[in-house]
Amino acid sequence: MAFNDLLKQVGAVGRFQQIQVALVILPLLLMASHNTLQNFTAAIPAHHCRLPPNASLGLDGQLGTLLPQDSQGQPESCLRFATPSQGAALTNDTTANLTEPTEPCMDGWVYDDSIFPSTIVTEWDLVCSHRALRQLAQSLYMVGVLLGAMSFGHLADRLGRRKVLILNYLQTAVSGTCAAYAPNFSLYCTFRLLSGMSLASIAINSMTINVEWMPIHTRACVGTLMGYTYSLGQFLLAGLAYAVPHWRHLQLLVSAPFYAFFLYSWFFVESARWLSSRGRLDLTLSTLQRVARINGKQAEGAKLSVEVLRTSLQKELTLGKGQASAMDLLRCPALRRLFLCLSMLWFATSFAYYGLVMDLQGFGVSIYLIQVIFGAVDLPAKLVCFLVINSLGRRPAQSASLLLAGICILMNAVIPRDQTVVRTSLAVLGKGCLASAFNCIFLYTGELYPTIIRQTGLGMGSTLARVGSIVSPLVSMTAELYPTAPLFIFGAVPVAASAATALLPETRGRPLPDTVQDLESRRAGSLRQPQQEQQKQMVPLQGTAQEKNSL
């Protein structure tokens, strides 16, 4: 595996790497905005039934004489008196309200627009009997993310990282803009699904093309930088949502920049590692020489030739000619082991993560404040994760982040609900750990899979993550049966999945594998190492025994 030496020869981390990594990472600022956008565009403001045309407020001007009240003395959200004339004669006595016949809101709803002047909920009345449609919109977005991870991941292994990224930027821009102008709920969900497809591919392609262009010792830094960019995007979303509360304007604001990303993505340089794995040595040579010129290493680039590449990458060219497919993840024993373990990690991380972050209104505080807090906790959490990744390795970082997150969620399940400060603190800590787990799993997966199937493996991992994000809203519905049931489930899954890391190899300081044979060689080497150490320990013992026999 000499490709890392070729990268060093043409400049290692030079001007080219710095520019391309920065441009690839920049769109991730808006990834968080799209993933959790419905916390704001689908927020549910306070609401109550619209009064019938023939009804009017009493002398006191209070709705309590016309609408039934809840236990806090506020008008019921989904009920009104069946006979307004009877309700008008009542006082604000809640007990008296319970004796009067009620009916659903027949004339629509009145919404409190003091915080959210317009959301998809207020525009299409996604409340009461239609409340499930609000979750449907988010679930369909996650279905799009799942489909995008499945389709575009394999497509990027076939066509290249650059071409697929260009397509994804354009698709995100167009579908996001169309969602902002959607005339009805059905079209809105359709365009959100298309946005989810392209955004999933942007996430995994950005990690892949950056990792494949960076030397071994800088891969953890790149992965952490991408994670921090996503966290900064959460701050950006809170600020944008506060400044632009109208949902259509906010949707357009987070989608329009992708037109600019689409334009400058044409200047991206395709991964030379991917080109070499496809046997295109002519394109690999021209790409490496172009990078050498940008990095000021023209002389080193001139030393390269097709013959030099063929000699340096002989093993990769010989073993990497086969066309890898998603089915190889199950057919090949070495890949199957990775796929099953990583699938558990991807599912558990996303399942618990979206179980926490998609219910910001449930904290009982300002939705903008909790969004900022959830973004702020990522900064120290990912710093600690980065230090662990570099010092101890990827495996302990992945295991510890999932285990600690699960413990925090499980503790929240047994702490009384009136302990709001403690519960919120544990939720924030758990969210920070899950963000670190996401940061680690992207890097870890990219380092474990060989080049010929890396993008497909990342795509399948992201697919399992989207399955987790789709299932999490369904698990939240178990609160109707037992209030703390969702928390027990959200906590137990990451704790159980953390054990899967024990079956995965460590990748810290090791070159990226290019073929399945590299995986098998790495595993065989790790198995031989303890045997060699044992043999070394046996040598002195044998020598001692021989000395005793000679005496």
Side-chain angles (χ1 to χ4, degrees):
M1 286 189 281
F3 194 85
N4 193 66
D5 297 328
L6 292 176
L7 286 180
K8 292 180 180 179
Q9 182 175 342
V10 298
V13 186
R15 187 185 300 113
F16 161 77
Q17 279 84 358
Q18 295 170 10
I19 294 174
Q20 175 142 313
V21 167
L23 294 178
V24 170
I25 287 179
L26 185 59
L28 299 184
L29 274 174
L30 296 176
M31 281 286 296
S33 300
H34 281 274
N35 285 346
T36 57
L37 187 62
Q38 283 201 190
N39 277 328
F40 300 95
T41 60
I44 305 176
H47 56 279
H48 59 77
C49 291
R50 188 181 301 277
L51 299 179
N54 60 342
S56 60
L57 296 176
L59 296 177
D60 58 357
Q62 297 296 317
L63 290 173
T65 59
L66 295 170
L67 299 175
Q69 298 177 5
D70 58 19
S71 58
Q72 284 82 33
Q74 299 297 321
E76 285 282 356
S77 299
C78 302
L79 296 174
R80 72 179 187 181
F81 287 123
T83 308
S85 59
Q86 294 178 359
L90 294 175
T91 63
N92 289 341
D93 185 1
T94 304
T95 303
N97 289 340
L98 296 177
T99 64
E100 291 298 320
T102 59
E103 64 181 6
C105 302
M106 307 300 294
D107 298 294
W109 291 263
V110 175
Y111 298 95
D112 179 8
D113 60 358
S114 59
I115 300 178
F116 301 103
S118 177
T119 68
I120 66 170
V121 171
T122 63
E123 182 157 340
W124 292 309
D125 289 333
L126 307 182
V127 293
C128 299
S129 61
H130 297 137
R131 186 184 182 97
L133 294 178
R134 173 180 178 268
Q135 293 296 337
L136 176 63
Q138 180 66 20
S139 294
L140 287 175
Y141 171 80
M142 289 302 176
V143 169
V145 174
L146 184 150
L147 295 175
M150 292 175 60
S151 56
F152 286 118
H154 180 64
L155 195 63
D157 276 334
R158 295 279 182 166
L159 303 180
R161 287 66 163 123
R162 174 180 171 272
K163 292 179 181 178
V164 174
L165 269 178
I166 293 173
L167 172 63
N168 293 150
Y169 290 144
L170 180 61
Q171 181 175 330
T172 302
V174 173
S175 59
T177 302
C178 291
Y181 291 100
N184 54 61
F185 181 69
S186 299
L187 283 176
Y188 169 79
C189 290
T190 301
F191 291 125
R192 284 284 290 167
L193 184 146
L194 293 174
S195 295
M197 289 183 63
S198 54
L199 286 165
S201 180
I202 290 173
I204 58 180
N205 264 297
S206 298
M207 172 62 76
T208 301
I209 196 170
N210 280 341
V211 165
E212 291 182 346
W213 268 120
M214 299 299 290
I216 294 175
H217 66 282
T218 62
R219 295 199 304 250
C221 297
V222 173
T224 303
L225 179 60
M226 295 179 69
Y228 269 118
T229 304
Y230 185 89
S231 299
L232 292 176
Q234 298 183 58
F235 288 104
L236 180 63
L237 175 60
L240 292 176
Y242 184 80
V244 186
H246 195 291
W247 80 267
R248 290 187 183 273
H249 300 161
L250 181 59
Q251 174 73 43
L252 183 61
L253 189 61
V254 299
S255 302
F258 281 88
Y259 288 107
F261 303 150
F262 164 71
L263 292 177
Y264 75 59
S265 63
W266 288 90
F267 296 99
F268 287 169
V269 178
E270 182 58 88
S271 167
R273 182 184 291 270
W274 175 80
L275 290 172
S276 65
S277 71
R278 306 294 291 183
R280 298 299 305 272
L281 290 184
D282 53 338
L283 294 179
T284 304
L285 175 62
S286 61
T287 299
L288 289 174
Q289 289 178 338
R290 178 184 176 188
V291 171
R293 287 195 301 270
I294 298 174
N295 287 340
K297 298 284 186 176
Q298 293 92 334
E300 295 296 328
K303 296 179 182 178
L304 297 177
S305 64
V306 174
E307 289 72 20
V308 172
L309 294 182
R310 183 175 289 110
T311 302
S312 301
L313 305 176
Q314 183 176 5
K315 183 184 67 173
E316 288 82 353
L317 294 172
T318 302
L319 301 179
K321 291 181 180 179
Q323 299 292 327
S325 66
M327 290 304 299
D328 291 328
L329 294 175
L330 295 176
R331 282 197 293 257
C332 176
L335 291 176
R336 183 169 60 244
R337 183 188 186 91
L338 293 181
F339 173 69
L340 294 177
C341 293
L342 290 172
S343 295
M344 293 178 60
L345 298 179
W346 278 98
F347 176 87
T349 304
S350 182
F351 175 73
Y353 182 88
Y354 284 99
L356 287 179
V357 303
M358 290 309 297
D359 189 29
L360 297 187
Q361 286 186 291
F363 285 89
V365 297
S366 170
I367 189 173
Y368 302 104
L369 177 61
I370 198 66
Q371 177 71 29
V372 171
I373 293 175
F374 268 16
V377 72
D378 285 5
L379 303 182
K382 290 180 178 178
L383 176 60
V384 173
C385 182
F386 170 73
L387 296 176
V388 175
I389 284 175
N390 268 343
S391 58
L392 301 180
R394 282 60 161 156
R395 187 166 58 182
Q398 188 70 59
S399 178
S401 57
L402 279 177
L403 184 62
L404 184 57
I407 292 174
C408 290
I409 299 174
L410 289 174
M411 290 176 63
N412 246 348
V414 298
I415 293 176
R417 288 191 172 273
D418 56 354
Q419 301 289 330
T420 56
V421 175
V422 178
R423 287 172 58 84
T424 302
S425 300
L426 285 173
V428 170
L429 178 59
K431 192 268 179 183
C433 292
L434 289 171
S436 298
F438 254 130
N439 200 52
C440 185
I441 191 65
F442 267 103
L443 176 64
Y444 200 17
T445 303
E447 292 180 339
L448 284 171
Y449 281 119
T451 301
I452 59 172
I453 202 170
R454 179 171 298 120
Q455 199 70 4
T456 302
L458 273 168
M460 294 304 295
S462 184
T463 298
L464 269 296
R466 295 321 125 197
V467 173
S469 63
I470 293 171
V471 172
S472 61
L474 303 179
V475 171
S476 298
M477 296 171 62
T478 60
E480 301 292 333
L481 303 176
Y482 189 73
T484 58
L487 292 177
F488 279 114
I489 299 174
F490 287 139
V493 170
V495 169
S498 64
T501 57
L503 302 177
L504 294 173
E506 180 56 63
T507 59
R508 181 173 68 96
R510 296 186 178 183
L512 290 177
D514 289 310
T515 65
V516 177
Q517 284 75 6
D518 291 335
L519 288 180
E520 296 173 347
S521 299
R522 174 185 292 180
R523 185 182 178 189
S526 63
L527 292 176
R528 284 196 301 267
Q529 186 175 1
Q531 297 175 357
Q532 292 174 354
E533 292 179 355
Q534 185 177 4
Q535 291 175 358
K536 289 180 180 179
Q537 294 175 358
M538 292 294 296
V539 170
L541 295 178
Q542 293 174 356
T544 304
Q546 292 175 356
E547 291 176 359
K548 288 183 178 180
N549 292 334
S550 63
L551 292 174

